[in-house]
């Protein structure tokens, strides 16, 4: 390990006589020259500033005002479409062309006439007309064009029309006048174009009307000469063929139905028992339906008589005769229906034949008229085309007539010009700034030139003395009086003995804590800052350059070291002195006085009054947070107050050994039998509680009211409460507890503490949780005895 002496470089000294011809020019020499030539620099600067002020005072003032115009190439016709309809995209250079039109002669001439600028002395005036003999309007337009500036500020459809004048009111008035004339000019150009298009359309309408009438006359002559008759827009032959086809289809349908009915009745006659078969036949005869009912009733009477009197009784024979007679009647009726169906079938076939012959005759007549129909169709197509073309021209002429009085310009003023509050020129601030830069630059150059002798070998006082290194035991004065010093730090194992204070090197009270690695060697539990021995040179060397981080207001950050033995026992629950009791119990199972003392120091450093503490983490294993919660509860219980430890961690059962070794508490009579909480008390009098269900598991159907009610009852019956949430508790449970807790304590690993992610999470919790005031940083005790690691720079906690 390198010592402070080896790490500290000797300060560089500058020997007299270093000049421009050497490797470098010392900055101390340059500053020495500038300090001696300071009057020259100030004088030069004042001269330039005076010249700038003179220019700003003497120069005539020019005012500028701008009006912003939006160019919109989209179609904006109120009626129909524009005569010059644009495509889907904007024509290349469309905006640039409109920029040039702003300063066109017609636009500016309209402004000159409207504002009567031919009599304005600033622009033209009668004297100028008498002097040059030029047309006053043309001369005024030329001078006005020099005063107008048209710019496109960005690659968009906005343009700025700026007018410069000796009067601020005139500048704003002329800018608005030019912008208005440009917008009106675009709309007027459309009107002129539409009027010209209307004249062309009127001539085309007359021509198309004559051609349409001629084509329709040819169609009528052709029909008359070929004897073509039309009905409902179709030939008479076509209508006749359509009707006969419909009649043929209907006749075929009736024939098919009659045939099916006749065949079905014939099958019934062939069967042995038409009465039974007719029950499933939909022949639609009321007589058969009645006969079937009578047969069924006779059959029922026969069955009843057979059951009552026996099959050989005379009444049974009479009933049998009635059944036979009913069946015979059904059969006769079926035969009658079959004969009728056969006759209907013959009639339907005859009708179908007649309809088929009618269709054949209509097809023959339509074939005879097909040649004449082809010629008529051609003439009708021509007449229809002429008619549609004529309608389009008439409709277009009506639209353009309406558009002439409803034109919308392709531009509109989105920001009228305002009267400027400050002149455009002279620009006093810019002139003074440039004068200051120029004067300062020239003054520095003159100063260096006048003192060039020092740069070429003249002696000067630029030697830099090396600062004396601080002794190893000297600690700088504190710079942050409100910083909370860590209170629970374990001394190195190599300390002489407990009688010697069991302490390591300590900083004075109020010294701002360094990063977690450096804090491990500051103040031991129960140590005295005034009598503590000085820190070893090795530790001081290793911590050189470590960034100190001051905690935010109200946030107590304490570094708590853990030896490898304790870490191993924390991760091995089940054996004696392991698991959640590893911080308060030795490996042999006895009370660890040293561990309790450390936890007592940690408790004191976190807060003066324990109250309701909530311990959680986002990176540290649940076994470690459970041990800290159990240890802080044991420390509070040692003070003689009633303490409750509530386990709400849902990741694993880290406190199971403690609950198993404790004795169950008999519930009072006013507690329901289905109470969801387990209550036990250990040998030291510590009250332990945890839910029988996973209240902390993030289940929305859990029992948040039970948690709130339990904590409220405990606050009234106990002196202190420690709630253990473990690693990564649910946000809902965390923020619910933050409303009632006195202290929210986050446990982080020393290696994770230096990361930006952990720092961001701490900032978020400080903003969202009002009682977040404790931060416990866990570190390895063995690393303290060596050299604390150098921690990367990161931003403060707040």
């Amino acid at each position: 390990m390198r010592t402070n002496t080896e790490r500290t470089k000797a300060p560089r000294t500058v020997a007299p006589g270093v000049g421009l011809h050497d490797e470098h020019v010392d900055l101390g020499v340059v500053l020495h020259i500038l300090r001696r030539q300071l009057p020259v620099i100030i004088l030069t600067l004042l001269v330039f500033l005076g010249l700038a002020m003179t220019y700003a005072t003497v120069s005539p003032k020019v005012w500028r005002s701008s009006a912003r115009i939006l160019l919109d190439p989209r179609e904006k016709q109120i009626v129909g479409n524009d005569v010059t309809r644009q495509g889907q995209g904007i024509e290349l250079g469309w905006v640039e062309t409109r920029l040039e039109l702003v300063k066109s002669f017609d636009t500016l001439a309209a402004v000159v006439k409207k504002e009567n600028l031919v009599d304005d002395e600033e622009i033209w005036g009668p004297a100028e007309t008498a002097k040059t003999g030029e047309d006053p309007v043309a001369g005024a337009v030329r001078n006005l064009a020099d005063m107008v500036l048209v710019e496109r500020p960005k690659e968009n459809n906005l343009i700025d029309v700026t007018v410069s004048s000796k009067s601020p009111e005139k500048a704003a008035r002329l800018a608005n006048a030019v912008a208005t004339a440009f917008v009106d000019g675009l709309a007027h150009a459309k009107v002129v174009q539409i009027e010209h298009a209307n004249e062309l359309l009127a001539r085309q309408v007359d021509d198309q009307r004559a051609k349409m009438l001629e084509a329709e006359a040819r169609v009528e002559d052709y029909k008359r000469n070929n004897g073509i008759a039309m009905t409902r827009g179709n030939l008479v032959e076509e209508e006749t063929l359509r009707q006969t086809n419909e009649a043929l289809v209907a006749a075929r349908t009736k024939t098919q139905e009659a045939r099916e009915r006749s065949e079905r009745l014939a099958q019934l006659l062939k069967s042995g028992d038409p009465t039974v078969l007719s029950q499933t036949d939909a022949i639609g005869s009321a007589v058969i339906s009645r006969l079937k009912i009578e047969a069924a009733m006779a059959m029922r009477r026969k069955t009843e008589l057979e059951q009552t009197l026996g099959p050989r009784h005379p009444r049974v024979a009479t009933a049998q005769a009635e059944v036979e007679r009913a069946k015979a009647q059904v059969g006769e009726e079926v035969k009658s229906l079959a004969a009728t169906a056969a006759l209907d079938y013959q009639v339907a076939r005859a009708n179908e034949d007649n309809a088929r012959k009618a269709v054949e005759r209509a097809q023959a007549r339509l074939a005879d008229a097909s040649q004449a129909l082809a010629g008529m169709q051609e003439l009708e197509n021509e007449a229809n085309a002429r008619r549609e073309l004529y309608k389009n021209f008439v409709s277009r002429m009506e639209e353009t007539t309406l558009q002439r009085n409803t034109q919308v310009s392709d531009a509109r003023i989105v920001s009228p010009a305002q009267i400027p509050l400050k002149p455009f020129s002279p620009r006093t601030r810019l002139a003074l700034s440039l004068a200051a830069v120029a004067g300062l630059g020239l003054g520095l150059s003159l100063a260096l030139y006048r003192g060039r002798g020092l740069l070429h070998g003249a002696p000067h006082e630029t030697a830099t003395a090396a600062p004396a290194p601080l002794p190893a035991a000297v600690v700088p004065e504190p710079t942050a009086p409100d910083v909370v010093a860590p209170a629970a730090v374990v001394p190195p194992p190599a300390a002489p003995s407990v009688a010697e204070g069991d302490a390591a090197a300590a900083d004075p009270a109020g010294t701002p804590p360094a990063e977690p690695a450096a804090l491990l060697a500051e103040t031991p539990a129960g140590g005295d800052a005034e009598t503590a021995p000085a820190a070893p040179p090795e530790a001081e060397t290793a911590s050189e350059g470590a960034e100190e981080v001051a905690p935010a207001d109200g946030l107590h950050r304490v570094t708590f070291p853990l030896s490898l033995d304790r870490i191993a026992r924390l991760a091995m629950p089940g054996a004696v002195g392991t698991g959640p009791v590893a911080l308060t119990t030795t490996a042999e199972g006895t009370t660890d006085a040293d561990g309790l003392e450390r936890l007592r120091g940690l408790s004191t450093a976190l807060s003066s009054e324990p109250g309701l503490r909530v311990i959680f983490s986002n990176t540290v294993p649940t076994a470690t947070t459970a041990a800290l919660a159990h240890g802080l509860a044991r420390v509070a219980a040692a003070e003689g107050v009633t303490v409750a430890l509530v386990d709400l961690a849902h990741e694993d059962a880290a406190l199971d050994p403690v609950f198993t070794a404790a004795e169950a508490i008999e519930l009072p009579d006013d507690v329901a039998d289905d109470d969801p909480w387990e209550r036990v008390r250990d040998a030291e009098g510590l009250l332990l509680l945890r839910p029988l269900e996973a209240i902390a598991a993030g289940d929305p159907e859990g029992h948040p009211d039970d948690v709130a009610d339990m904590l409220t009852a405990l606050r009234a019956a106990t002196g202190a409460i420690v709630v253990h949430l473990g690693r990564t508790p649910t946000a809902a449970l965390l923020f619910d507890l933050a409303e009632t807790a006195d202290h929210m304590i986050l446990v982080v690993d020393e290696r994770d503490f230096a990361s930006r992610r952990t720092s961001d999470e701490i900032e978020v919790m400080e903003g969202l949780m009002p009682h977040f005031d404790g931060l416990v940083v866990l570190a390895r005790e063995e690393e303290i005895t060596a050299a604390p690691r150098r921690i990367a720079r990161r931003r403060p906690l707040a």
Side-chain angles (χ1 to χ4, degrees):
M1 178 182 295
R2 301 179 61 186
T3 63
N4 272 342
T5 306
E6 293 172 342
R7 291 171 58 119
T8 305
K9 296 182 180 180
R12 180 176 58 87
T13 59
V14 181
V18 177
L20 293 175
H21 57 278
D22 295 324
E23 295 180 353
H24 59 276
V25 176
D26 192 272
L27 183 61
V29 177
V30 175
L31 295 177
H32 180 74
I33 294 174
L34 296 179
R35 185 169 58 252
R36 294 183 58 181
Q37 300 294 330
L38 187 59
V40 176
I41 299 174
I42 295 176
L43 179 61
T44 307
L45 179 61
L46 292 177
V47 170
F48 273 79
L49 292 177
L51 293 176
M53 287 298 298
T54 303
Y55 162 77
T57 304
V58 175
S59 298
K61 294 182 179 180
V62 177
W63 305 80
R64 272 191 177 184
S65 183
S66 299
R68 177 156 292 184
I69 300 175
L70 172 64
L71 299 178
D72 190 359
R74 298 174 299 176
E75 297 180 357
K76 300 171 292 299
Q77 298 300 335
I78 298 177
V79 180
N81 298 322
D82 195 359
V83 175
T84 58
R85 185 173 181 176
Q86 300 177 1
Q88 295 295 329
I90 301 176
E91 181 183 353
L92 184 63
W94 187 87
V95 177
E96 286 74 9
T97 303
R98 269 56 183 179
L99 258 70
E100 297 298 329
L101 292 178
V102 176
K103 298 179 66 174
S104 63
F105 183 85
D106 292 341
T107 302
L108 297 183
V111 176
V112 169
K113 294 177 182 179
K114 181 179 180 180
E115 299 292 335
N116 194 23
L117 298 181
V118 293
D119 296 332
D120 193 317
E121 296 294 339
E122 182 181 357
I123 297 177
W124 187 253
E128 194 72 19
T129 303
K131 178 180 178 181
T132 60
E134 187 180 356
D135 180 22
V137 175
V141 167
R142 185 178 64 253
N143 292 345
L144 179 61
D146 296 337
M147 300 168 58
V148 177
L149 175 64
V150 183
E151 296 177 318
R152 186 181 183 184
K154 295 181 180 179
E155 294 297 325
N156 50 31
N157 294 345
L158 291 173
I159 60 174
D160 290 339
V161 178
T162 305
V163 176
S164 302
S165 176
K166 297 179 181 179
S167 169
E169 293 81 5
K170 183 188 294 184
R173 177 168 52 86
L174 293 182
N176 289 327
V178 173
T180 303
F182 168 69
V183 173
D184 295 342
L186 293 180
H188 179 69
K190 284 187 175 183
V191 173
V192 173
Q193 190 175 13
I194 290 175
E195 290 177 349
H196 179 65
N198 249 352
E199 296 176 0
L200 298 178
L201 287 173
R203 291 196 293 268
Q204 289 295 327
V205 166
D206 296 338
D207 184 39
Q208 292 301 324
R209 182 189 300 110
K211 291 182 179 179
M212 178 193 67
L213 295 176
E214 182 182 354
E216 289 180 348
R218 286 198 299 268
V219 172
E220 295 299 327
D221 293 341
Y222 186 85
K223 288 182 180 180
R224 190 182 310 109
N225 295 334
N226 291 274
I228 299 175
M230 306 292 293
T231 177
R232 297 179 183 179
N234 297 322
L235 290 174
V236 174
E237 287 78 6
E238 291 179 349
E239 186 66 20
T240 302
L241 180 60
R242 183 184 63 80
Q243 293 177 358
T244 55
N245 276 329
E246 292 178 355
L248 178 60
V249 172
R252 285 177 178 175
T253 302
K254 290 182 179 180
T255 302
Q256 180 68 19
E257 293 176 352
R259 183 174 61 84
E260 292 177 356
R261 180 179 177 81
S262 177
E263 292 176 352
R264 186 164 59 251
L265 291 174
Q267 290 178 358
L268 290 176
L269 291 175
K270 292 179 182 180
S271 63
D273 189 359
T275 304
V276 177
L277 295 175
S278 63
Q279 292 178 358
T280 59
D281 181 67
I283 57 179
S285 174
V287 177
I288 290 180
S289 299
R290 180 177 56 79
L291 293 175
K292 287 192 297 182
I293 294 173
E294 292 179 356
M297 293 176 64
M299 181 63 70
R300 187 179 64 179
R301 287 196 299 271
K302 173 193 172 185
T303 303
E304 292 175 354
L305 291 174
E306 285 180 349
Q307 293 176 355
T308 305
L309 304 177
R312 296 181 181 275
H313 197 275
R315 294 180 63 182
V316 174
T318 303
Q320 179 66 31
E322 291 179 358
V323 171
E324 295 299 332
R325 184 172 58 255
K327 290 183 178 181
Q329 291 177 354
V330 173
E332 291 299 328
E333 184 65 23
V334 171
K335 290 178 182 180
S336 176
L337 291 176
T340 303
L343 182 60
D344 292 342
Y345 174 60
Q346 296 298 328
V347 174
R349 288 186 61 184
N351 292 336
E352 181 181 356
D353 293 339
N354 293 334
R356 185 182 300 106
K357 293 177 181 179
V359 169
E360 292 174 355
R361 288 193 298 270
Q363 288 177 345
R365 288 194 299 270
L366 183 61
D368 294 339
S370 60
Q371 294 181 354
L373 184 63
M376 187 194 69
Q377 189 69 34
E378 183 178 355
L379 292 176
E380 284 185 343
N381 291 338
E382 182 181 358
N384 291 334
R386 293 294 181 184
R387 187 180 300 105
E388 291 298 325
L389 189 59
Y390 171 72
K391 289 181 179 179
N392 290 337
F393 273 103
V394 172
S395 175
R396 186 59 178 161
M397 188 173 66
E398 291 178 354
E399 289 180 0
T400 54
T401 302
L402 294 175
Q403 289 175 3
R404 180 175 55 189
N405 298 324
T406 58
Q407 276 302 307
V408 179
S409 178
D410 289 337
R412 62 186 179 91
I413 301 175
V414 296
S415 179
Q418 305 294 329
I419 298 177
L421 301 178
K422 298 180 181 179
F424 174 75
S425 66
R427 300 182 181 181
T428 305
R429 291 186 178 180
L430 179 61
L432 291 177
S433 300
L434 294 177
V437 173
L440 186 60
L442 181 60
L444 293 175
S445 301
L446 290 175
L448 293 175
Y449 178 78
R450 290 169 59 88
R452 63 188 182 278
L454 293 177
L455 296 176
H456 289 281
H460 55 283
E461 301 174 358
T462 57
T464 304
L470 293 174
V474 175
V475 180
E477 290 294 327
T479 58
D482 295 333
V483 173
V484 179
V489 180
V490 179
S497 65
V498 178
E500 295 178 357
D502 207 7
D507 288 339
T511 303
E515 288 290 346
L519 286 172
L520 301 180
E522 289 183 357
T523 307
D528 189 354
E530 296 181 359
T531 60
E538 291 80 8
E540 182 177 305
T541 303
S543 62
E544 180 184 355
E547 297 296 332
E548 293 187 354
V549 180
D553 293 339
L555 181 61
H556 302 270
R557 188 189 72 190
V558 183
T559 300
F560 192 79
L562 293 172
S563 64
L564 292 178
D565 173 66
R566 293 184 185 274
I567 295 175
R569 288 194 290 122
L570 284 173
M572 295 188 304
V576 176
T578 61
V581 300
L583 299 181
T584 60
T585 307
T586 63
E588 292 77 17
T590 61
T591 301
D592 189 349
D594 181 61
L596 290 175
E597 185 65 23
R598 298 179 186 182
L599 290 169
R600 186 174 293 106
L602 174 63
S603 176
T604 304
L606 289 174
S607 58
S608 58
E609 296 294 336
L612 174 56
R613 289 173 170 173
V614 178
I615 298 178
F616 63 99
S617 178
N618 56 355
T619 56
V620 176
T622 305
T624 305
T625 57
L628 283 173
H630 178 261
L632 292 177
R634 285 287 305 276
V635 168
E639 302 295 332
V641 298
T642 304
V643 182
L645 174 60
V646 183
D647 183 21
L648 294 179
H650 65 86
E651 298 91 350
D652 51 25
L655 288 172
D656 271 356
V658 179
F659 274 84
T660 303
E663 181 180 356
I665 298 176
E666 183 178 355
L667 297 178
D669 296 336
D670 57 349
V671 178
D673 295 337
D674 57 349
D675 182 70
W677 291 87
E678 176 185 0
R679 297 174 171 86
V680 295
R681 189 183 301 275
D682 66 1
E684 302 296 331
L686 182 63
L687 181 62
L688 306 172
L689 298 96
R690 65 179 175 184
L692 297 176
E693 299 179 9
I695 293 178
D699 183 8
E701 301 298 332
H703 308 279
D705 294 336
D706 294 341
V707 176
D709 295 343
M710 175 59 68
L711 293 180
T712 301
L714 285 177
R715 290 178 70 96
T718 60
I721 304 174
V722 179
V723 179
H724 173 239
L725 297 183
R727 180 176 180 178
T728 61
T730 60
L733 181 63
L734 186 63
F735 289 114
D736 286 344
L737 291 177
E739 296 296 330
T740 57
D742 297 322
H743 309 286
M744 301 291 292
I745 301 170
L746 174 65
V747 183
V748 298
D749 189 271
E750 185 267 342
R751 293 175 177 81
D752 297 327
F753 178 68
S755 66
R756 180 175 294 277
R757 170 177 167 272
T758 303
S759 179
D760 293 340
E761 290 177 354
I762 293 175
E763 288 186 12
V764 171
M765 286 186 287
E766 282 188 290
L768 297 179
M769 293 190 295
H771 300 293
F772 175 58
D773 58 358
L775 181 61
V776 179
V777 182
L778 302 180
R780 289 187 181 180
E781 189 176 57
E782 283 72 14
E783 294 181 357
I784 305 174
T785 60
R789 296 182 295 107
R790 185 181 183 86
I791 298 176
R793 180 184 298 272
R794 66 178 184 87
R795 59 180 179 173
L797 295 176

